[in-house]
Amino acid sequence: MASQHIIVGLGNPGDQYHETRHNIGRMLVLHIAAAAGVSEWKGEKKPPLQVARGSLAGRKAVFVLPDTFMNNSGRAVAHFVKSKKDAGNTVVAYDDMDLPLGTIKISHGRSSGGHNGVESVIRSLRTKDFVRVRIGISPKGVRGQARKPKGEERVLKFLLSKCTPAEKTELQKVFKRALLAVEAIVEHGYQSAMTEYN
């Protein structure tokens, strides 16, 4: 059987989390699926997730949105990843406070960097060897660095707040670039995509 790529968008389900900064991975995967002409999403109960099937960059792809809260995302991913090869073909998109808004970074085989969703995926798959597409969400400092909010309460408020109109405009540009990056990962492998997009 030809292998397929598993494209996962991390976030929280439910209307109150729609378009919040912590749901940017989910928003990106919806954008990628739509760009690939895939619009038929199916809800599954065990584990709770939304799934759509199609192709991306000429390869078979399954698009997955976990319908559990962020820290339980791994169950939905493990549902599709049954081997080391599957893990290697998995791309997980998520928000990253260590990067300023407007940047994307592709990485592979690293720790979760404190992101609960990624931590859950690592635990469920029992491997770090999958591709991540990290979307920066922090305000930009004077030197272009990420200005992260300080303190647990402020961090949570920042993550679970809706994107501002200006951020949405910036994200439209970011999503165009991230779509090309994910297509490059699928077509040429993550090393080549990292060289081009990081």
Side-chain angles (χ1 to χ4, degrees), residues 29-187:
V29 170
L30 284 165
H31 173 82
I32 293 170
V38 177
S39 58
E40 207 173 302
W41 289 85
K42 206 172 99 220
E44 292 193 8
K45 290 274 185 284
K46 282 184 179 175
L49 56 89
Q50 307 283 326
V51 63
R53 295 172 193 278
S55 63
L56 187 65
R59 314 283 163 96
K60 275 170 70 169
V62 55
F63 302 93
V64 182
L65 304 175
D67 263 349
T68 51
F69 283 103
M70 188 66 97
N71 54 359
N72 283 322
S73 306
R75 285 168 53 210
V77 186
H79 187 64
F80 295 93
V81 176
K82 302 298 182 203
S83 66
K84 212 171 168 172
K85 190 179 179 199
D86 289 344
N89 284 337
T90 299
V91 179
V92 178
Y94 59 98
D95 59 290
D96 193 332
M97 281 204 316
D98 290 331
L99 300 173
L101 182 71
T103 51
I104 68 168
K105 195 157 193 189
I106 300 164
S107 59
H108 179 274
R110 298 173 41 149
S111 76
S112 67
H115 193 287
N116 290 337
V118 182
E119 190 55 54
S120 171
V121 174
I122 291 171
R123 270 202 318 271
S124 294
L125 300 188
R126 298 196 177 96
T127 180
K128 292 177 185 170
D129 294 337
F130 54 90
V131 184
R132 301 95 191 276
V133 174
R134 299 154 54 198
I135 307 289
I137 59 166
S138 284
K140 227 178 230 173
V142 262
R143 293 189 305 280
Q145 80 284 23
R147 275 202 350 255
K148 294 200 298 189
K150 299 271 188 286
E152 202 175 328
E153 223 171 282
R154 285 175 66 192
V155 164
L156 268 179
K157 191 175 178 221
F158 178 75
L159 287 175
L160 300 179
S161 295
K162 304 262 182 204
C163 298
T164 66
E167 285 173 333
K168 283 186 195 169
T169 305
E170 184 63 44
L171 283 170
Q172 283 174 345
K173 289 186 269 186
V174 172
F175 283 4
K176 277 185 187 151
R177 196 155 171 266
L179 166 64
L180 296 173
V182 174
E183 287 177 336
I185 291 165
V186 167
E187 206 172 351

